[in-house]
Amino acid sequence: MVLCALRQQVLRCSSHCRTWARLPQRQRSGCVYSSIHGFNQDEIKEKLQAFHGGSIDLLKQDSGIAVLTINNPSRMNAFSGSMMVDLEERVSQLENWPEGKGLIVQGAAETFCSGSDLNAVRAISNQQDGMKMCMFMQNSLTRLLRLPLISVALVEGRALGGGAELTTACDFRLMAAGSVIQFVHKHMGLVPGWGGAARLVHLVGSQNALKLLGGAVKVDPELGVNIGLVDGVLEGHQKAGGAAPLLQQAENWLSRYTKGPAPVIQAVKKVVLSGRELPLSEALRTEKDIFGTVWGAPANLEALASKSKHK
Ligand SMILES: CCC(=O)SCCNC(=O)CCNC(=O)[C@H](O)C(C)(C)COP(=O)(O)OP(=O)(O)OC[C@H]1O[C@@H](n2cnc3c(N)ncnc32)[C@H](O)[C@@H]1OP(=O)(O)O
């Protein structure tokens, strides 16, 4: 059932969507939890909305690259409850963006994100609310990672706790010199709950994940690159003379992977996603279906007509 839902998710936006359209909304959106897991999204949304402050801002650009900004500078971009709700809404908007190809996730005011807002955490520290918040954020971050866009987290300053988990919900991570990713959960008497541990194991292997979580290790750009968590290091601070602004550097880095028509770039992400998440036979069938959406499509016919050479 879950695999079937994921398979439908990676096929989304194709012309083969008749089965897709018949699926309930939560399955269509690639969520991990729905009502069959006792999860009531509207209930937790209402509760989270009470803890306001900050925003999650989305800028969709003509280039097909969107910028998602975690914006709560007075709390080092910590996630308030209303920002958690905002994030879910922004992810929905990105799921419905046919022209989209790439996504950069950044923090406002020269730092990435200091995790969940400790004021909200204190207010919902009971077991039930904690579980509901955990399921809500896992759903949103899983949907973020499953977007048919190539995504990159631009880490400047600190990515702590839930902020570190957020970086793992992107396809790539870029770090500015002097920045830090740190899974500080152990120091808070916690483990990751937004899906960050599961994704971290996939990214760096269980040995490294155990070291990062067990030691609450401060990952600088050099360590990040060495263990495969980080895909590139950007020059200097946004204000440093000489180097291009970090966002511009990140866009340049990402544009090498997003060059080309949106349906092709989205198909690239979808075949990788199915290979990453599905068992081989299921992944192969999904790849065949995705292949069917680009075969004989305008970009393919144009390339054939131009007799292109790949020298
Ligand atoms: C999912 C699980 C989780 O995410 S648990 C949360 C994990 N995060 C944390 O514990 C971060 C705690 N904060 C810190 O360690 C420091 O504030 C860091 C981020 C290192 C910044 O230190 P520093 O540069 O000295 O600034 P500061 O401490 O004065 O902070 C500025 C204002 O921001 C606030 N702030 C920061 N982080 C949070 C947070 N997670 N939740 C709520 N507020 C946060 C600080 O309280 C401070 O506010 P104020 O100026 O004192 O009103």
Side-chain angles (χ1 to χ4, degrees):
M1 185 84 155
V2 172
L3 292 180
C4 179
L6 174 61
R7 189 155 181 266
Q8 293 300 332
Q9 161 73 2
V10 294
L11 280 172
R12 197 166 186 209
C13 304
S14 77
S15 54
H16 302 249
C17 277
R18 262 171 288 143
T19 321
W20 174 259
R22 287 198 299 271
L23 286 170
Q25 169 61 30
R26 267 191 289 278
Q27 276 190 357
R28 269 187 276 156
S29 58
C31 289
V32 180
Y33 304 104
S34 65
S35 52
I36 57 167
H37 306 99
F39 178 64
N40 180 337
Q41 174 162 291
D42 296 336
E43 183 200 354
I44 184 65
K45 265 175 114 165
E46 198 181 323
K47 187 152 261 180
L48 290 170
Q49 282 288 18
F51 305 102
H52 36 82
S55 59
I56 305 291
D57 306 329
L58 178 62
L59 175 68
K60 288 180 187 166
Q61 305 182 115
D62 291 344
S63 61
I65 295 180
V67 180
L68 190 74
T69 304
I70 319 301
N71 188 0
N72 192 6
S74 66
R75 293 180 180 170
M76 307 297 280
N77 299 330
F79 261 89
S80 66
S82 62
M83 287 167 72
M84 293 181 192
V85 175
D86 266 12
L87 176 69
E88 194 270 334
E89 283 164 11
R90 301 294 166 259
V91 170
S92 294
Q93 288 167 6
L94 289 166
E95 284 169 342
N96 295 296
W97 189 29
E99 298 81 22
K101 301 194 277 184
L103 174 68
I104 296 172
V105 179
Q106 66 166 6
E110 297 173 18
T111 195
F112 188 74
C113 172
S114 64
S116 47
D117 183 330
L118 295 172
N119 304 303
V121 167
R122 279 180 205 109
I124 59 163
S125 61
N126 67 79
Q127 177 77 13
Q128 284 112 325
D129 285 345
M131 289 301 94
K132 287 174 193 164
M133 184 272 286
C134 166
M135 289 192 270
F136 184 76
M137 285 303 284
Q138 277 197 16
N139 272 355
S140 298
L141 293 184
T142 303
R143 287 168 58 196
L144 179 69
L145 186 57
R146 288 178 179 169
L147 285 171
L149 310 172
I150 301 179
S151 58
V152 58
L154 164 54
V155 181
E156 182 182 20
R158 291 188 180 94
L160 303 182
E165 295 191 63
L166 172 61
T167 72
T168 64
C170 293
D171 297 311
F172 298 110
R173 279 142 296 282
L174 297 175
M175 284 181 88
S179 56
V180 168
I181 298 175
Q182 188 179 12
F183 293 83
V184 296
H185 304 73
K186 191 183 86 165
H187 292 161
M188 304 295 297
L190 290 173
V191 292
W194 295 359
R199 292 187 297 267
L200 188 65
V201 169
H202 278 256
L203 287 168
V204 301
S206 60
Q207 296 298 104
N208 282 321
L210 200 50
K211 289 177 189 167
L212 297 195
L213 298 184
V217 174
K218 281 187 183 171
V219 180
D220 62 19
E222 191 186 356
L223 176 59
V225 169
N226 283 343
I227 61 175
L229 180 63
V230 171
D231 302 280
V233 181
L234 304 181
E235 285 174 48
H237 248 239
Q238 224 143 11
K239 282 182 182 158
L246 287 176
L247 184 57
Q248 188 59 57
Q249 289 185 52
E251 289 202 37
N252 293 345
W253 188 91
L254 183 56
S255 63
R256 80 189 82 165
Y257 305 114
T258 55
K259 199 165 170 229
V264 178
I265 307 304
Q266 294 197 4
V268 168
K269 170 68 184 274
K270 288 173 188 173
V271 288
V272 172
L273 182 63
S274 68
R276 189 160 68 194
E277 295 205 18
L278 298 171
L280 184 59
S281 299
E282 192 78 12
L284 290 171
R285 282 193 289 273
T286 305
E287 184 174 312
K288 182 261 295 169
D289 291 340
I290 296 164
F291 176 76
T293 69
V294 288
W295 176 262
N300 178 226
L301 295 179
E302 214 173 285
L304 290 172
S306 72
K307 297 182 184 161
S308 53
K309 291 189 180 186
H310 310 284
K311 284 184 174 173

